[in-house]
């Protein structure tokens, strides 16, 4: 028994945003039936291929805990099978380009006619408005949602981040909407439409920058490095490098070995409550009482000097030594961990956050596990399905077609 046991998902998703959502629902126990075009499948199966002939890591890492059904939904018999799937499932998830489902003949109205309890969940690039018909990928969403304009350094171009906040971030929003709609359905008996636009998801994650946009109208943003550097602010929230987005100033500082190791850095936060401890650690006890350094407002115009001094200390330690010294003193610091270090970290393997999976075509590989831990719904990560691996099984046991009907469906070219 898992949290979503008994929930059937018609997974019409592809690439990253939609598959993130349905994979999460699968981890939580839903039966996820991924519908893919016969002979082609999700485009990511064959993108960024690293093992010839095998599904790519791009695909496998987004499609665990699913079954694959091939179905040509533009073929008449295929449409009939899809209708039966819609009647049978609780949730339909899709992230096609705007209008694709309507063109296929499955408008929201039609879906409701087929199954009034259906929850129909979509990721789109934009919500209603001037860009609603646009196709969108991750970095477009990061740019359109305010992420890129506020990421990077003041003197450089806008930057996108490696965290897939547009795709995977929006997929998580969609999953929350679906679970809420399933709960509401227990009261109303009705399904509903759930929409998670990528621009909205990115902007939501950038809320501290919208906060700063409004603070800017009332004066300079004193916790930004550019304030202590005497650089005037413009009209929009600027890029703030590695400045902390909160009220406690922080920076990324070099650690021992930074000259050769690109990840030998630490994040260091000068939290006001532990300022005295910071002064002792970095060998500046006189700053504890000095009115130029003793209070947070006094420190704001001197952040570059203060972090420069702290860095002189961090450069004498490894990033792990900085953590060992600072943590017992409650000074918030964080080592910059590389993907290599994260992949090898035993505690992340123990917690199921990084999981090794065996795949018939590619052998063993690492993937991320479920980032949500529930005491009564254990997650077991199962490998991604091969294209069409479960077609017959689903036609027979989920849709209850007879053997002769399955033969006819096959002969029609629908699967
Ligand atoms: N059988 C038959 N046809 C199928 C099918 C199936 N099983 N599955 C998909 N198709 C068809 C669709 O109906 C569509 O046909 P149409 O253009 O004739 O209407 C076609 O395949 C392609 O779908 P589309 O979504 O346009 O794919 P794309 O590769 O051109 O675009 C995206 C990809 C991601 C840009 C686009 O889907 C999109 O903008 N999605 C919404 C935003 C999003 O999720 N972006 C993030 C992706 S990580």
């Amino acid at each position: 028994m898992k949290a979503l046991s008994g929930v059937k998902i018609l997974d019409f998703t592809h690439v990253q945003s939609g598959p993130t959502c349905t994979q999460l629902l699968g981890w939580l126990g839903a039966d996820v039936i991924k519908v893919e075009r016969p002979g082609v499948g999700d485009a990511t199966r064959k993108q960024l291929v690293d093992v010839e002939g095998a599904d790519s890591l791009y695909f496998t890492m987004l499609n665990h805990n699913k079954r694959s059904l091939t179905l040509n939904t533009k073929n008449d018999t295929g449409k009939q099978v899809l209708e039966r799937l819609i009647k049978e499932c609780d949730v339909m998830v899709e992230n096609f380009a705007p209008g694709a489902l309507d063109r296929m003949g499955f408008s929201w109205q039609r879906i409701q006619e087929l199954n009034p309890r259906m929850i129909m969940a979509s990721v789109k690039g934009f919500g209603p408005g001037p860009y609603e018909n646009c196709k969108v990928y991750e970095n477009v969403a990061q740019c359109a949602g305010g992420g890129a304009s506020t990421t990077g350094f003041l003197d450089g171009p806008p930057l996108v981040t490696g965290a897939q906040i547009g795709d995977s971030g929006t997929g998580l929003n969609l999953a929350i909407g679906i679970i809420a709609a399933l709960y509401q359905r227990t009261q109303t008996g009705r399904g509903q439409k759930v929409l998670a636009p990528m621009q909205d998801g990115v902007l939501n994650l950038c809320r501290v920058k919208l906060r700063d946009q409004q603070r800017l109208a009332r004066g300079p943003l004193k916790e930004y490095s550019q304030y202590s550097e005497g650089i005037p602010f413009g009209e929009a929230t600027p890029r703030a490098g590695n400045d902390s987005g909160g009220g406690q100033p922080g920076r990324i500082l070099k650690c021992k070995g930074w000259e050769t190791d690109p990840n030998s850095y630490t994040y260091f936060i000068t939290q006001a409550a532990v300022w005295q401890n910071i002064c002792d650690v970095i060998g500046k006890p006189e700053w504890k009482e000095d009115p130029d350094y003793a209070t947070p407002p006094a420190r704001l115009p001197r952040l570059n000097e203060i972090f420069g001094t702290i860095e002189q200390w961090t450069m004498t330690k490894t990033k792990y030594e900085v953590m060992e010294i600072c943590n017992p003193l409650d000074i918030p610091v964080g080592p910059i961990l590389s993907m290599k270090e994260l992949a090898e970290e035993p505690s992340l393997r123990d917690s199921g956050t990084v999981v090794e999976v065996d795949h018939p075509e590619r052998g063993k590989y690492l993937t991320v596990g479920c980032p949500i831990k529930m005491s009564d719904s254990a997650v077991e990560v199962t490998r991604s399905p091969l294209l069409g691996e479960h077609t017959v099984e689903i036609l027979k046991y989920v849709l209850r077609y007879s053997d002769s009907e399955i033969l006819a469906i096959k002969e029609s070219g629908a699967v």
Side-chain angles (χ1 to χ4, degrees):
M1 177 72 188
K2 304 244 167 93
L4 295 180
S5 287
V7 175
K8 286 198 198 85
I9 312 279
L10 196 179
D11 179 8
F12 232 151
T13 68
H14 64 159
V15 202
Q16 184 178 165
S17 63
T20 301
C21 166
T22 49
Q23 176 171 262
L24 180 63
L25 300 175
W27 283 335
L28 298 181
D31 180 6
V32 181
I33 299 170
K34 184 164 174 113
V35 179
E36 298 179 83
R37 235 180 310 184
V40 183
D42 187 324
T44 59
R45 282 188 187 266
K46 295 296 165 240
Q47 277 175 9
L48 311 178
V49 169
D50 61 319
V51 177
E52 213 44 58
D55 283 331
S56 71
L57 285 169
Y58 195 5
F59 175 83
T60 53
M61 291 178 73
L62 282 157
N63 290 286
H64 295 106
N65 298 65
K66 302 181 184 181
R67 296 194 277 174
S68 169
L69 162 81
T70 50
L71 190 65
N72 181 354
T73 56
K74 289 185 173 165
N75 160 306
D76 284 344
T77 308
K79 282 188 204 295
Q80 287 165 21
V81 175
L82 182 58
E83 285 186 5
R84 206 184 273 206
L85 265 172
I86 291 172
K87 287 180 185 159
E88 193 64 37
C89 291
D90 301 278
V91 184
M92 176 167 173
V93 192
E94 64 92 22
N95 67 314
F96 291 129
L101 263 190
D102 291 339
R103 286 194 290 280
M104 219 182 261
F106 291 90
S107 63
W108 170 225
Q109 194 189 343
R110 176 81 188 115
I111 290 167
Q112 280 175 298
E113 280 163 16
L114 292 167
N115 180 358
R117 287 174 59 79
M118 174 60 84
I119 290 157
M120 148 90 192
S122 305
V123 168
K124 294 288 168 256
F126 294 91
Y131 306 118
E132 63 188 318
N133 291 322
C134 297
K135 288 190 176 184
V136 169
Y137 283 106
E138 170 69 47
N139 288 346
V140 176
Q142 287 196 28
C143 294
S149 81
T150 53
T151 304
F153 286 90
L154 192 60
D155 57 358
L159 270 190
V160 294
T161 158
Q164 305 286 282
I165 58 175
D167 277 342
S168 289
T170 306
L172 301 182
N173 288 344
L174 193 69
I176 293 165
I178 290 169
I179 293 166
L182 280 168
Y183 182 73
Q184 194 175 359
R185 196 180 70 172
T186 62
Q187 315 293 318
T188 63
R190 281 194 315 277
Q192 61 182 298
K193 221 171 152 178
V194 180
L195 172 66
M198 295 167 74
Q199 182 188 40
D200 305 37
V202 171
L203 178 56
N204 182 273
L205 294 173
C206 291
R207 77 187 62 188
V208 299
K209 303 299 178 181
L210 184 58
R211 173 201 69 194
D212 291 349
Q213 181 62 43
Q214 295 166 86
R215 290 173 61 227
L216 203 49
R218 302 196 176 86
L221 305 170
K222 294 184 177 170
E223 76 284 10
Y224 279 51
S225 304
Q226 86 177 73
Y227 174 71
S228 63
E229 289 159 7
I231 301 171
F233 285 81
E235 289 185 342
T237 307
R239 293 188 266 290
N242 292 315
D243 292 344
S244 157
Q248 309 286 348
R251 297 273 177 90
I252 287 185
L253 305 177
K254 292 170 183 159
C255 292
K256 197 174 177 177
W258 67 274
E259 299 90 337
T260 51
D261 177 356
N263 292 304
S264 196
Y265 288 83
T266 187
Y267 203 89
F268 197 108
I269 297 181
T270 54
Q271 196 198 8
V274 291
W275 178 243
Q276 309 260 329
N277 292 348
I278 295 171
C279 294
D280 284 336
V281 161
I282 63 171
K284 282 281 184 189
E286 64 275 20
W287 278 0
K288 289 195 235 177
E289 305 301 334
D290 186 330
D292 281 349
Y293 300 90
T295 64
R299 291 196 286 274
L300 285 178
R302 298 178 176 76
L303 289 181
N304 277 1
E305 181 207 344
I306 289 167
F307 280 112
T309 306
I310 299 172
E311 192 169 56
Q312 291 305 311
W313 176 75
T314 57
M315 281 164 69
T316 67
K317 311 279 178 233
T318 67
K319 61 189 178 188
Y320 296 110
E321 286 167 346
V322 170
M323 203 157 180
E324 275 159 29
I325 295 166
C326 291
N327 269 352
L329 300 171
D330 286 336
I331 303 170
V333 292
I336 308 303
L337 295 180
S338 69
M339 270 304 139
K340 182 169 186 296
E341 287 165 318
L342 289 165
E344 292 166 357
E345 171 57 43
S347 66
L348 294 177
R349 300 286 185 98
D350 292 346
S351 65
T353 299
V354 175
V355 184
E356 189 175 76
V357 181
D358 206 357
H359 187 274
E361 289 175 341
R362 58 177 310 116
K364 289 189 165 57
Y365 66 94
L366 286 185
T367 188
V368 290
C370 185
I372 304 163
K373 317 294 178 191
M374 291 172 68
S375 64
D376 213 8
S377 184
V379 174
E380 187 202 342
V381 178
T382 60
R383 71 166 173 85
S384 60
L386 302 176
L387 180 60
E389 184 174 346
H390 305 98
T391 299
V392 173
E393 175 183 309
I394 290 162
L395 292 176
K396 191 164 179 165
Y397 298 111
V398 179
L399 303 181
R400 296 175 294 279
Y401 284 109
S402 66
D403 289 344
S404 58
E405 286 172 323
I406 292 173
L407 197 60
I409 291 169
K410 281 184 175 170
E411 281 170 356
S412 76
V415 297

